[in-house]
Amino acid sequence: MVKNHICVKILTIKFLAGGAVFLLLCFGIFENALAKRKISDLSKSTLYFERYDGGQYIVDASINGQGPFRMMIDTGATRTSVFEKTRQRLGLETNILPERNVSGMNKAELRPLAMIKTLNFAGIKYENHNIIILKDWADVGEVHFDGILGMDVLDGLIIQFKHAKSTVKFRKYWGINLQDVRKWDRIKLVENPYLEENFGLYYTFTRIGDSFIPTLVDTGASFTALSWSFVRGTKLEKEKKRLRKEWEVRGAVGVFNPQMRLRFDRIRIGDTALNKHEVVLMDLTNIPMNAYGKYPMVITGVDLFAGRDFAFDFRSYNLYIRPSEKHK
């Protein structure tokens, strides 16, 4: 519950209606890519990355010896996937395995799988791997975006981002140099805060006032979201009821999913303190990780890093973030 002494500024309120937004591509806002493109040597452990206006990280990979394909590094995705256009380009046939349920913000739907012979990136090779085939986005051709690297291939790796050179290094067989990150913020990661089904994702906790809220660390998200269930019994819950009545008066078109942008004077995600941090209050009732809205939840995106270098160590369950210059 939101405590009285927390300073929150309400910025805007809006409705979201219409089609699904897949959790695998959670909250992404993608626009034009950078003008100059550096092609990575996929046999090397260090790859160049590109970023979109939403801030997500895109790297090159090869599939079945073809490519390079542009793949988003998405720690909020349980499975690696490609779009339908990419499947056609690769000539993949969907296989006979049961379709998988892909959960989104407004609905869930079954999507087919396909077997790929090889997936290569950063000197790492996966063979005979099943991937999910996603529906094409309307703008996927404009952004030249081919698919997602999910936690089925990222788990167990050490992934270190350096913004000065726009590079990300993947390590599989040796650990992170702790001297490099000894003055960085360390966020301890856990696998499953609600002790229900394990989805292969990693979480920390967000402190808002006296509350500690399980938080999915999702590099596929462009911003931080907080579930409406967190504000039960407060004035914000009454505001949601008012918004629903307003939506019904307008004809109840589309899906009722009100969003409210809040600015907290101070919150703490793991060991990282964030001042004047914007959070989007929204329904998270269609995703299974919080039992379809039963429990409060935060999803924090790349805004957590604010352009600072960071490193995931999925072998020791740690996330390191370089402190900002003013906090050094």
Side-chain angles (χ1 to χ4, degrees):
M1 182 178 295
V2 177
K3 305 300 181 180
N4 292 332
H5 63 270
I6 300 174
C7 183
V8 181
K9 182 179 181 182
I10 300 176
L11 301 177
T12 61
I13 299 173
K14 63 179 180 179
F15 291 98
L16 177 66
V21 180
F22 289 104
L23 175 67
L24 292 173
L25 305 172
C26 187
F27 314 130
I29 302 173
F30 300 98
E31 296 186 5
N32 291 328
L34 300 175
K36 294 184 179 179
R37 172 151 160 70
K38 296 180 179 178
I39 304 298
S40 299
D41 182 347
L42 299 182
S43 66
K44 303 295 184 182
S45 62
T46 299
L47 304 179
Y48 293 110
F49 66 72
E50 290 185 293
R51 301 185 71 187
Y52 293 98
D53 285 353
Q56 295 85 349
Y57 297 84
I58 311 296
V59 297
D60 289 333
S62 69
I63 301 175
N64 291 351
Q66 300 182 48
F69 293 97
R70 299 163 64 85
M71 306 290 285
M72 179 171 68
I73 300 173
D74 190 351
T75 60
T78 58
R79 297 291 299 269
T80 294
S81 57
V82 298
F83 293 111
E84 173 62 23
K85 284 185 178 181
T86 312
R87 182 197 70 79
Q88 294 178 14
R89 178 179 166 188
L90 285 162
L92 297 176
E93 297 291 335
T94 55
N95 58 33
I96 61 174
L97 290 175
E99 294 181 321
R100 297 300 174 92
N101 193 51
V102 178
S103 298
M105 299 306 298
N106 298 325
K107 69 176 183 178
E109 65 178 14
L110 295 174
R111 296 302 304 159
L113 289 85
M115 172 71 75
I116 56 174
K117 294 180 179 178
T118 59
L119 169 65
N120 293 79
F121 62 94
I124 301 170
K125 183 177 182 180
Y126 294 88
E127 296 183 307
N128 300 320
H129 196 73
N130 276 304
I131 61 173
I132 293 175
I133 308 301
L134 298 175
K135 285 184 178 179
D136 288 333
W137 282 10
D139 61 351
V140 71
E142 296 176 9
V143 301
H144 307 294
F145 182 64
D146 301 305
I148 294 166
L149 297 177
M151 289 305 299
D152 54 333
V153 299
L154 300 177
D155 198 10
L157 300 180
I158 294 170
I159 310 171
Q160 190 161 2
F161 293 78
K162 293 186 177 181
H163 291 82
K165 295 183 178 180
S166 296
T167 59
V168 53
K169 186 171 186 177
F170 296 82
R171 300 171 180 164
K172 189 174 184 179
Y173 298 110
W174 63 92
I176 196 169
N177 185 347
L178 295 180
Q179 283 296 110
D180 292 344
V181 297
R182 63 188 178 88
K183 294 184 179 180
W184 293 21
D185 294 341
R186 182 176 74 95
I187 295 177
K188 190 64 181 175
L189 302 174
V190 297
E191 286 185 317
N192 192 358
Y194 288 128
L195 302 178
E196 295 188 359
E197 185 177 352
N198 188 351
F199 294 93
L201 305 176
Y202 287 87
Y203 305 79
T204 184
F205 291 87
T206 295
R207 180 172 181 174
I208 301 178
D210 296 331
S211 298
F212 291 84
I213 312 163
T215 300
L216 174 66
V217 181
D218 182 5
T219 59
S222 59
F223 57 87
T224 298
L226 171 64
S227 62
W228 276 101
S229 57
F230 177 69
V231 299
R232 287 173 183 156
T234 69
K235 292 182 179 179
L236 288 174
E237 184 180 35
K238 294 179 181 179
E239 178 66 16
K240 183 181 180 182
K241 291 179 180 179
R242 186 193 68 78
L243 291 172
R244 184 171 185 88
K245 289 182 180 179
E246 183 179 318
W247 173 72
E248 291 172 349
V249 168
R250 292 177 178 178
V253 178
V255 177
F256 178 71
N257 185 1
Q259 298 180 9
M260 181 182 296
R261 293 175 60 215
L262 310 176
R263 179 179 293 152
F264 288 93
D265 270 2
R266 184 178 179 86
I267 65 173
R268 181 177 290 273
I269 299 179
D271 286 342
T272 297
L274 301 169
N275 298 321
K276 307 297 182 183
H277 191 66
E278 289 190 11
V279 173
V280 176
L281 192 62
M282 62 191 304
D283 273 328
L284 297 176
T285 57
N286 198 54
I287 56 177
M289 291 85 69
N290 66 339
Y292 299 99
K294 181 179 179 181
Y295 309 119
M297 188 174 182
V298 170
I299 298 177
T300 186
V302 293
D303 58 332
L304 169 64
F305 312 118
R308 297 173 290 169
D309 293 348
F310 62 97
F312 284 99
D313 184 346
F314 290 124
R315 297 175 63 181
S316 64
Y317 294 12
N318 285 307
L319 166 61
Y320 299 94
I321 306 176
R322 181 190 293 275
S324 62
E325 291 296 326
K326 66 180 180 180
H327 290 138
K328 281 187 178 180

